[in-house]
Amino acid sequence: MEKIVKLLLLIISHAAIPCLGQFGGGDDAKTLVTNLFSSYSTMVRPNKDYSKPMNIDLDMILVGINGLDEVEGKLTTTGYLSVRWTDEYLVWDNDIMQLYIPQNKIWKPDLTLKNGFTKLTTLGSDFILVQILQMGLVWWQPFEVFESKCSIDITHFPFDQQTCDLVFVVWSYFIMDVNVTKGADGIETEDMEESAQWSIVSTSAREDKEGTESKVTFTLTLQRSSGYYIFNIIIPVIFLGLLNVFTYVLPVDSGEKMGYAMTVFLSFAVFLTIVSSELPKSSGSYFGYYLMVLLSFGVITVCVTALELRLHHSQRKVPSWIEKVMQCACCSCEENRVDDLGNTKRKKDVTWSDFTAFIDFAMFWILFMSFIVLTVIVMIILKLRIKM
């Protein structure tokens, strides 16, 4: 109830400022500041009853998401905090409705980003002014570029979501001295600038009381913008994988098969080199495994093609076990067949050319079906974020 009353007083005061600005003057303000700060100490917690804690309301206004580093596990955001409390030593009763005082001139809670990526520093700067209302309500809005630690899971890249926390804690005071609570708004995103890479799915704020420590945790759930990766990485990779499969459509004696296989393989390798800067630097991504499988398909194709060329020009007799395999797997290799005139004639012996054509047929359908099934499964897992 006390928090609601304070918030209402703040709103009413802001609404009344344009009308009340005509009361008082510079001399009155100077006198007021002299009287208020003549015996004021920034080292004394400004509540007269030390048996009760100083209550601090905390909201966060998010201005922008600067970046998320997967390797370092660092979230960089720009924004400012809305910190409110009542200073019982800064209360007056005259025509001056509010004062603006440099933040280092009054007592402030030693709020800090507990899971910060760099060393602990004071929030805000000396030029930031603190607004003080007549009833002692203090409103402090320190602006910062926050660098916080975040556990990154790139399993479903580039359709991944990341959940990051910004934990603000009163570093020195115990909870019985200063109690930090989340404000009514939590995280405000109305003034936030759109990020080209990340969009906000949801936000939340919660109060955590752990032993003697009082803290507020702001949680951001971010969704990666996947359009760039779909059109510039995923679709070209699928096309290259499909071109690799169609190597087996070319006949061995065409003279172009080995050159085609090597061209597709090198194109895939060069493409991965070009786009490597856009891929996560950490391992564990399903898409990364998918790329490795497609690369292995390319290696298999080059090796099989080289072997086919060797066999196709071989002068040795085809082994009997190969003939048996051909007879069992291919109806065109039957011992006898009927020609167009209805005459039964004996088929010629199996040659290496027949065998390499059989390999092409088998490898095409094996790799083609494997490629289609693998691609569909991986895309479903990435898009729906299925846990394996």
Side-chain angles (χ1 to χ4, degrees):
M1 185 65 184
E2 182 181 357
K3 290 169 58 178
I4 297 176
V5 171
K6 289 180 180 179
L7 188 58
L8 289 175
L9 288 174
L10 181 62
I11 295 173
I12 294 172
S13 300
H14 271 281
I17 285 173
C19 298
L20 297 174
Q22 57 183 322
F23 297 107
D27 292 337
D28 295 332
K30 289 169 59 177
T31 302
L32 175 61
V33 170
T34 301
N35 294 334
L36 287 175
F37 290 94
S38 59
S39 60
Y40 187 88
S41 174
T42 59
M43 296 182 290
V44 177
R45 178 161 53 93
N47 56 329
K48 297 179 180 178
D49 187 357
Y50 267 32
S51 64
K52 297 180 181 180
M54 171 74 74
N55 292 315
I56 308 293
D57 291 340
L58 186 61
D59 288 312
M60 182 177 182
I61 295 84
L62 191 63
V63 176
I65 299 172
N66 299 350
L68 187 60
D69 192 314
E70 292 92 351
V71 177
E72 294 185 346
K74 177 175 68 174
L75 171 67
T76 305
T77 55
T78 301
Y80 58 95
L81 300 178
S82 177
V83 191
R84 300 175 297 276
W85 69 91
T86 298
D87 191 319
E88 297 182 1
Y89 296 117
L90 296 177
V91 180
W92 66 91
D93 184 15
N94 60 18
D95 292 337
I96 304 297
M97 299 305 301
Q98 62 180 349
L99 293 173
Y100 290 96
I101 304 297
Q103 69 169 37
N104 61 341
K105 299 296 183 181
I106 68 168
W107 177 91
K108 307 184 307 300
D110 56 342
L111 279 171
T112 188
L113 184 61
K114 185 178 181 180
N115 64 332
F117 203 81
T118 56
K119 65 180 181 180
L120 294 177
T121 56
T122 304
L123 292 179
S125 303
D126 292 341
F127 72 88
I128 293 180
L129 301 179
V130 177
Q131 183 184 14
I132 308 173
L133 301 183
Q134 196 177 45
M135 71 291 296
L137 184 61
V138 181
W139 191 11
W140 178 38
Q141 294 182 298
F143 186 92
E144 290 285 346
V145 175
F146 300 106
E147 293 183 344
S148 57
K149 296 179 181 178
C150 182
S151 179
I152 308 298
D153 180 10
I154 50 92
T155 303
H156 296 91
F157 172 88
F159 302 99
D160 53 323
Q161 286 186 0
Q162 306 296 338
T163 300
C164 300
D165 293 334
L166 288 88
V167 183
F168 292 94
V169 63
V170 177
W171 190 255
S172 301
Y173 288 98
F174 294 136
I175 191 172
M176 64 282 298
D177 299 321
V178 177
N179 180 34
V180 182
T181 59
K182 66 182 182 68
D185 299 322
I187 299 181
E188 298 182 27
T189 58
E190 288 79 6
D191 298 331
M192 178 180 162
E193 296 181 0
E194 294 294 332
S195 171
Q197 189 173 8
W198 296 96
S199 59
I200 294 181
V201 176
S202 63
T203 63
S204 63
R206 68 178 186 274
E207 302 171 8
D208 295 320
K209 312 297 180 185
E210 298 180 357
T212 60
E213 188 177 66
S214 175
K215 61 183 179 182
V216 172
T217 301
F218 297 104
T219 302
L220 295 172
T221 301
L222 307 176
Q223 173 70 55
R224 191 190 300 268
S225 300
S226 57
Y228 172 83
Y229 300 97
I230 291 174
F231 290 102
N232 293 279
I233 297 179
I234 294 180
I235 292 179
V237 163
I238 292 176
F239 285 165
L240 286 173
L242 196 59
L243 288 176
N244 178 67
V245 173
F246 274 82
T247 302
Y248 297 101
V249 174
L250 296 176
V252 177
D253 54 6
S254 66
E256 300 292 336
K257 189 167 187 175
M258 192 63 189
Y260 176 85
M262 287 301 301
T263 299
V264 173
F265 178 75
L266 292 176
S267 298
F268 192 80
V270 171
F271 179 78
L272 290 183
T273 302
I274 294 173
V275 303
S276 61
S277 60
E278 304 296 336
L279 299 176
K281 303 301 184 295
S282 52
S283 60
S285 154
Y286 289 133
F287 185 68
Y289 298 144
Y290 176 72
L291 293 178
M292 292 306 300
V293 172
L294 292 189
L295 189 62
S296 66
F297 281 2
V299 173
I300 292 172
T301 298
V302 171
C303 293
V304 170
T305 301
L307 181 61
E308 285 183 334
L309 290 173
R310 178 72 176 181
L311 294 176
H312 184 76
H313 295 94
S314 175
Q315 301 299 321
R316 294 181 300 172
K317 185 179 182 302
V318 177
S320 58
W321 67 268
I322 292 181
E323 291 185 350
K324 292 180 180 180
V325 170
M326 295 283 291
Q327 291 170 359
C328 294
C330 183
C331 61
S332 64
C333 296
E334 293 176 349
E335 186 70 23
N336 296 301
R337 67 177 183 177
V338 179
D339 61 13
D340 295 337
L341 300 177
N343 299 319
T344 301
K345 63 178 182 179
R346 186 179 183 85
K347 188 180 182 302
K348 64 178 181 179
D349 293 336
V350 175
T351 64
W352 287 115
S353 179
D354 297 329
F355 183 59
T356 55
F358 171 74
I359 292 177
D360 282 339
F361 176 83
M363 289 299 296
F364 174 81
W365 286 108
I366 291 173
L367 287 188
F368 182 74
M369 296 306 298
S370 300
F371 172 76
I372 295 298
V373 172
L374 177 66
T375 300
V376 171
I377 291 176
V378 169
M379 291 303 115
I380 291 176
I381 292 174
L382 291 178
K383 188 64 177 175
L384 299 182
R385 290 184 288 276
I386 299 174
K387 298 296 184 182
M388 298 295 287

